Amino acid sequence: MDFLQLAKNRYSCRSYKKVPVEKEKLEQVLEAGRIAPSACNLQPFYFIVVTDEDLKQKVASSYRGQWIKDAPAIIVACGDHSKSWKRADGKDHCDIDVAISVDHMTLAAAELGLGTCWVCAFDAAKCREVLNLPAHIEPVVLLPIGYPADKGNPDRHQAQRKKLDNLVRWNGFQGA
């Protein structure tokens, strides 16, 4: 499938079949995250794959939604702020690098027939404690992954996204 169709097919899946994801497919998804570009190629990210049911429930409890507990696996995408590139004005690109890797993983998962959902509204301190993460490693995204029990609508972008004319400015920013 071409890239735009793949991107349109990918959606935030919040309902999963009770079927484990094959390790080979998880590794393909993780490989997509591994090869993602990062500022100065510093690769300040780690991916913790949680498939153990007890640990998965503890990680899931850092998020308020109950649906996440049904995902067969959760990838916790973490950033290492001690290794990330900082711009001259101090802006830390760690979260950007993690986001690029997670986006690669979500698209790879969609191509494999798997569903994912970005979860950022979680208690990072609780997740850090559950996973015993060192202070310089921040859990940035919970990425539940599994076979979807629901179906996305690839045509939703026509109505749910702004028109290109509302987003694009050529040769400077004119009008808001």
Side-chain angles (χ1 to χ4, degrees):
M1 124 179 23
D2 75 13
F3 179 78
L4 278 179
Q5 191 57 51
L6 175 63
K8 288 177 181 179
N9 285 347
R10 193 252 151 226
Y11 69 100
S12 295
C13 178
R14 293 181 179 90
S15 180
Y16 299 93
K17 295 179 181 176
K18 295 193 182 304
V19 176
V21 178
E22 300 87 344
K23 185 176 182 187
E24 296 78 25
K25 286 190 177 182
L26 287 172
E27 288 174 342
Q28 286 180 45
V29 169
L30 294 162
E31 177 66 5
R34 182 188 76 83
I35 66 167
S38 62
C40 295
N41 197 31
L42 293 175
Q43 306 166 56
F45 37 73
Y46 294 94
F47 312 120
I48 301 171
V49 183
V50 182
T51 56
D52 175 80
E53 190 60 32
D54 290 338
L55 185 58
K56 186 171 63 85
Q57 294 303 317
K58 289 177 184 172
V59 169
S61 73
S62 69
Y63 174 65
R64 61 176 163 50
Q66 294 302 304
W67 60 267
I68 195 171
K69 295 178 179 182
D70 294 331
I74 299 173
I75 299 171
V76 182
C78 300
D80 184 344
H81 291 277
S82 72
K83 293 184 179 166
S84 58
W85 179 77
K86 280 77 171 175
R87 194 167 60 195
D89 64 3
K91 180 171 179 59
D92 184 346
H93 278 246
C94 188
D95 289 353
I96 295 167
D97 292 341
V98 171
I100 295 168
S101 68
V102 171
D103 200 50
H104 273 51
M105 289 191 286
T106 64
L107 291 168
E111 185 178 48
L112 294 169
L114 299 169
T116 58
C117 184
W118 285 74
V119 175
C120 297
F122 66 99
D123 184 337
K126 182 175 184 177
C127 184
R128 177 191 311 266
E129 184 179 321
V130 166
L131 295 174
N132 196 30
L133 300 176
H136 66 286
I137 303 296
E138 175 190 9
V140 178
V141 176
L142 302 182
L143 190 67
I145 184 169
Y147 289 97
D150 60 2
K151 197 168 182 93
N153 175 7
D155 297 325
R156 71 192 180 282
H157 301 94
Q158 286 300 95
Q160 296 178 359
R161 295 290 191 269
K162 293 178 181 179
K163 301 289 182 206
L164 201 55
D165 289 346
N166 294 331
L167 301 172
V168 177
R169 304 292 186 264
W170 296 89
N171 301 313
F173 194 94
Q174 296 89 23

